[in-house]
């Protein structure tokens, strides 16, 4: 399920206003000051909460009481002249995040504030049926919980990322996860994990994670582009993930760069993905460095191999063209480059920035292009954040 499906009551109802206000309080508590790992970051007084949210002190007081009854926040008297101190509770259970890649799955446990506590990765056959992948992830989660001494029954919600367009809960593309196509991902996942699951595209999760805990923190808008086996993006507008009508927004990999280019898996021609994915770089270097991994090609480029340098620069050049369209269209505060390809670092980014500047309007030419801060963990961090948010929403629905 995408987050858009759990936005709560009908617009205009009293419940909507209450839910909106409650979410504002929770958002402030979650993001107030400090680094994500700073345990004091989520501590504010009720008076401070009223000031930051712009809500009346009595409204904040009511919201905090309600959140306290469902265990989402705890309160205690502040020292000295400080009023009641409020913090997000991390003890009312845990959430899990699961991130599927082309040939790996990563699993994490987080607290209800969305802070990642434990994580583990395992390898998957690149061609697997979805049931097999889910069983594997479920077993990995069991191992992780056992090691952390956490009961399985404490898991409230699972956030799950897939490297494919997901429209109305159904996986739509055959190229990266053939064993998942046409599957109602949310239903399949809920059967496996036995708790509510929210399913989201992995680039969208990366965008959410960089927005909340990474390099895009503090910016209202950003575009996160994930370049691994495929190329996708997640878009944050007004501090919210923009999902489009059915949840499939952000498929930057299928922007047409050359209508006479190679036929793409999507049926179009000359898509960005054909020029900028990891597979493209490995393909270009096949004659010189057979069986090389991306890390081998990056190392060769750093060691002065001009062909390796050229292959990465070319990928960056095409990426810059594609991103120029996105930047002209959306004018985001910044662009974040993540996924496996981010390991090429400045080698890639220099050519992305150069081409971006050449193809955007002056008004947006200063848009920064930065490397992902969370690296290969971005989607997993996002999955945990999404699961924590979903748990909150389920609790809020109970309140209504
Ligand atoms: Zn395509």
């Amino acid at each position: 399920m995408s987050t858009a499906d759990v936005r709560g009551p009908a617009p205009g109802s009293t419940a909507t206003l209450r839910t909106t206000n409650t979410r504002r309080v929770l958002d402030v508590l979650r993001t107030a000051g400090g680094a994500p790992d700073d345990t004091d970051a989520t501590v504010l007084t009720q008076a401070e909460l009223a000031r930051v949210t712009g809500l009346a002190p009595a409204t904040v007081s009511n919201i905090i009481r309600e959140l306290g009854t469902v265990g989402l926040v705890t309160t205690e008297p502040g020292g000295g002249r400080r009023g009641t101190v409020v913090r997000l509770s991390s003890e009312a259970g845990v959430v899990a995040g699961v991130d599927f890649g082309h040939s790996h799955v990563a699993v994490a446990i987080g607290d209800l504030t969305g802070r990642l506590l434990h994580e583990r990765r395992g390898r998957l056959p690149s061609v697997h049926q979805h049931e097999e992948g889910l069983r594997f992830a479920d077993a990995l989660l069991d191992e992780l919980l056992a090691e952390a001494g956490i009961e399985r029954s404490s898991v409230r919600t699972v956030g799950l990322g897939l490297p494919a367009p997901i429209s109305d809960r159904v996986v739509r593309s055959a190229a990266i996860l053939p064993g998942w196509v046409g599957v109602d991902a949310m239903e399949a996942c809920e059967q496996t994990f036995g708790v509510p699951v929210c399913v989201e595209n992995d680039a969208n999760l990366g965008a959410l994670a960089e927005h909340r805990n990474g390099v895009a923190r503090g910016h209202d808008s950003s575009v996160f582009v994930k370049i691994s086996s495929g190329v996708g993006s997640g878009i944050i507008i007004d501090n919210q993930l923009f999902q489009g009508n059915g949840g499939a927004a952000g498929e930057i990999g299928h922007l047409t760069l050359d209508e006479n280019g190679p036929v793409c898996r999507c049926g179009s021609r000359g898509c960005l993905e054909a020029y900028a994915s990891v597979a493209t770089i490995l393909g270009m270097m096949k004659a010189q460095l057979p069986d090389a991994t991306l890390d081998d090609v990056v190392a060769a480029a750093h060691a002065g191999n001009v062909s390796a340098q050229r292959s990465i620069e070319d990928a960056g050049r095409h990426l810059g063209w594609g991103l120029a369209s996105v930047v002209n269209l959306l004018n985001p505060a910044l662009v974040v480059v993540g996924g496996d390809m981010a390991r090429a670092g400045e080698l890639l980014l220099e050519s992305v920035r150069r081409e971006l500047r050449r193809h955007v309007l002056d008004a947006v030419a200063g848009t920064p292009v930065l490397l992902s801060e969370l690296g290969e963990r971005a989607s997993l961090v996002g999955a945990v954040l999404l699961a924590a948010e979903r748990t909150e929403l389920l609790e809020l629905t109970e309140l209504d």
Side-chain angles (χ1 to χ4, degrees):
M1 173 182 278
S2 71
T3 46
D5 296 321
V6 288
R7 290 262 155 86
S13 66
T14 334
T16 317
L17 184 62
R18 202 162 97 220
T19 306
T20 309
N21 289 343
T22 307
R23 292 210 68 189
R24 246 154 96 187
V25 168
L26 286 167
D27 284 346
V28 168
L29 279 171
R30 198 188 306 105
T31 55
D37 291 336
D38 175 359
T39 47
D40 283 336
T42 50
V43 179
L44 286 170
T45 64
Q46 287 205 21
E48 285 164 343
L49 270 172
R51 187 170 46 76
V52 177
T53 57
L55 296 171
T59 307
V60 170
S61 175
N62 279 338
I63 289 172
I64 295 303
R65 197 175 54 248
E66 284 186 342
L67 291 174
T69 61
V70 293
L72 285 179
V73 301
T74 57
T75 56
E76 59 192 72
R81 292 172 57 191
R82 274 195 117 198
T84 303
V85 165
V86 185
R87 74 179 80 221
L88 285 173
S89 169
S90 55
E91 284 148 19
V94 293
V95 296
V98 179
D99 173 41
F100 277 94
H102 174 59
S103 53
H104 80 268
V105 62
V107 172
I109 303 168
D111 66 22
L112 292 186
T113 72
R115 189 164 44 219
L116 199 149
L117 303 171
H118 309 278
E119 63 187 276
R120 173 163 300 173
R121 287 167 77 88
R123 288 199 69 76
L124 264 180
S126 53
V127 178
H128 65 267
Q129 289 307 307
H130 70 279
E131 297 95 334
E132 184 189 353
L134 284 171
R135 269 198 305 274
F136 186 72
D138 192 43
L140 216 54
L141 177 60
D142 270 337
E143 278 177 32
L144 203 55
L145 286 164
E147 276 180 26
I150 298 169
E151 294 285 330
R152 177 77 191 220
S153 57
S154 303
V155 178
R156 305 277 296 269
T157 309
V158 173
L160 187 138
L162 294 172
I166 300 160
S167 178
D168 297 324
R169 304 175 8 179
V170 177
V171 179
R172 300 291 182 187
S173 166
I176 294 179
L177 289 177
W180 287 75
V181 175
V183 172
D184 182 328
M186 193 192 84
E187 196 178 296
C189 295
E190 290 193 339
Q191 270 172 15
T192 302
F193 295 106
V195 293
V197 178
C198 29
V199 179
E200 187 55 89
N201 169 267
D202 62 344
N204 284 355
L205 291 179
L208 186 69
E210 292 291 344
H211 171 67
R212 291 279 168 71
N213 292 353
V215 70
R217 192 175 159 88
H219 295 282
D220 291 355
S221 61
S222 55
V223 171
F224 172 82
V225 53
K226 179 171 183 177
I227 315 149
S228 293
S229 304
V231 178
S233 78
I235 299 163
I236 301 284
I237 297 175
D238 286 342
N239 295 304
Q240 299 288 329
L241 194 57
F242 176 75
Q243 293 170 305
N245 183 42
E251 289 298 326
I252 187 179
H254 302 282
L255 284 181
T256 304
L257 296 193
D258 177 1
E259 65 175 0
N260 297 314
V263 173
C264 179
R265 61 185 167 98
C266 73
S268 183
R269 268 185 179 274
C271 293
L272 170 59
E273 195 167 282
Y275 303 98
S277 72
V278 172
T280 309
I281 287 192
L282 298 184
M284 282 192 274
M285 293 303 296
K286 207 173 174 121
Q288 281 200 41
L289 299 173
D291 304 322
T293 62
L294 177 67
D295 289 334
D296 297 334
V297 175
V298 172
H302 282 303
N305 180 323
V306 287
S307 305
Q309 288 169 358
R310 180 61 193 248
S311 70
I312 294 169
E313 276 172 28
D314 273 9
R317 185 158 53 93
H318 286 95
L319 198 58
W321 292 352
L323 281 169
S325 299
V326 176
V327 167
N328 274 336
L329 198 64
L330 298 177
N331 185 18
L334 77 164
V335 172
V336 183
V337 175
D340 293 338
M341 193 80 106
R343 296 206 295 273
E346 288 300 314
L347 213 54
L348 176 77
L349 252 56
E350 270 176 30
S351 81
V352 174
R353 290 185 189 118
R354 190 169 53 238
E355 293 304 319
L356 184 85
R357 274 198 302 274
R358 281 185 60 205
H359 294 278
V360 292
L361 298 173
D362 278 353
V364 294
T367 308
V369 180
L370 303 174
L371 278 182
S372 157
E373 199 171 292
L374 300 165
E376 66 175 11
R377 298 168 65 243
S379 299
L380 186 63
V381 170
V384 168
L385 285 166
L386 186 63
E389 265 193 21
R390 176 73 199 284
T391 309
E392 275 176 12
L393 282 169
L394 289 172
E395 295 292 356
L396 297 184
T397 311
E398 298 261 299
L399 286 177
D400 287 326

